[in-house]
Amino acid sequence: MAPVTEHQGSFLSRLSRRNQIVSMEVNHEQELEELEDFQKHVAERFTELLAPPSTTTESLIDTAESDPILSIQWLRKLLDAFMSCESEFQSVLTTNPAQISKPPLDKHVPEMLDRIVKALDICTAVVNGVDSVRQSQRLAEIAVTAFKQRPLSDGSVRRAKRALTSLLNADKNTASSGGGSGRRSTTTEQWSSFGRRSGGGGGFVSKNWSAAKQIQAMTANLVAPRGGESSPIYIISSLMVMVMWTLVVAVPCQASNGLAVQLPLPKHQVWANAAVSIQERVGEELKRKEKRCGGGGLMEEMQRMERIGLKLMEFSEGFSFNGEEEVVAEVEEMEEICRKMEDGLEGLQRGVREVFHRLVKSRSEILEMIDHSKP
């Protein structure tokens, strides 16, 4: 073989560099294409939470009535949307796992891993909070049973009044003191607790733990990338914060006062438009609630239960015989809300557990990618 001349060596070196540049350009174009697809997926899934699938007037009305924002079924759809986006996020990372160890993602990955741990704590608190909603449901059922007695007696009204008193105080007490109690589990213990206790809350948080402070800590370092471009990690982190914030707003959680904060979502980004709209609508409800009576728990069924409970309490305080027909409609509506809770709360709790396990898996996969990308 003829020896490589200096000219040939220079040519081969330039050719190699050019191939590297072309390869980098191709990879960059592929990453941009994947990012665009990911953003479209996010926009579509969260837009579905605001707009019904059909455009007919009848369907619009039916959908609005069956799944209003912050209702149990709507919250389950929110969790499904997030799970779908998180799955897409993992696909994007898997395509080019080395990117998470290079600038600028290398700086954002540790923040995201920490954010996931905080989200796991929130999932634990929300599962416990759903148990407190079940307790409210039981109190409402006691009141319904008492009011349906015929003829309605003084004793039945007193029994209903006791249940209503506990019901109307439950939301405020949970928001200020806690949906769960006991010692603070380690992260590992919390993760395994969901698997061990399929029927219960799974894990506890300490008395000093605060849902509001946890959300604030998750948003503290959530800053949009420079140049106006979004990275997959920034997008999924923003969605995680928004979903966790919405869950804490909807379900009575420990120390959830002070959640009326503006989440740092980029309004100018297409993927964030629907998420911003959801945040604004939930925020309006939250401000009205805090001005009225404070506390947490904006789940649509709970708000209806509270309104009806106040009416029934007023009736019980001024009860006179032969007046039971005055509250027949309210009693029937309360009974209907209890049925919805009976059917939906278990599914909601199961959905939160699924998000919990997905985040645990996601965190483990990211850590594994980091280990494999090290030289």
Side-chain angles (χ1 to χ4, degrees), residues 30-46 81-93 112 230-239 270-272:
Q30 183 180 1
E31 288 176 11
L32 290 177
E33 184 177 344
E34 290 174 348
L35 176 59
E36 184 177 355
D37 290 342
F38 178 51
Q39 292 184 81
K40 287 181 180 177
H41 182 82
V42 170
E44 289 172 359
R45 288 310 311 264
F46 278 80
F82 175 71
M83 292 273 282
S84 174
C85 294
E86 207 284 330
S87 179
E88 286 294 311
F89 165 73
Q90 287 296 327
S91 298
V92 171
L93 282 191
M112 180 184 177
S230 289
S231 69
I233 284 182
Y234 172 69
I235 293 173
I236 201 66
S237 292
S238 298
L239 295 178
V270 174
W271 65 266

Side-chain angles (χ1 to χ4, degrees), residues 137 140-141 305 334-342:
Q137 174 196 338
E141 288 171 346
M305 185 176 283
M334 185 75 91
E335 190 173 25
E336 183 262 338
I337 294 171
C338 290
R339 279 197 298 268
K340 280 191 174 183
M341 286 185 167
E342 185 68 31

Side-chain angles (χ1 to χ4, degrees), residues 50-61:
L50 292 170
S54 176
T55 56
T56 63
T57 304
E58 184 178 353
S59 295
L60 284 172
I61 295 173

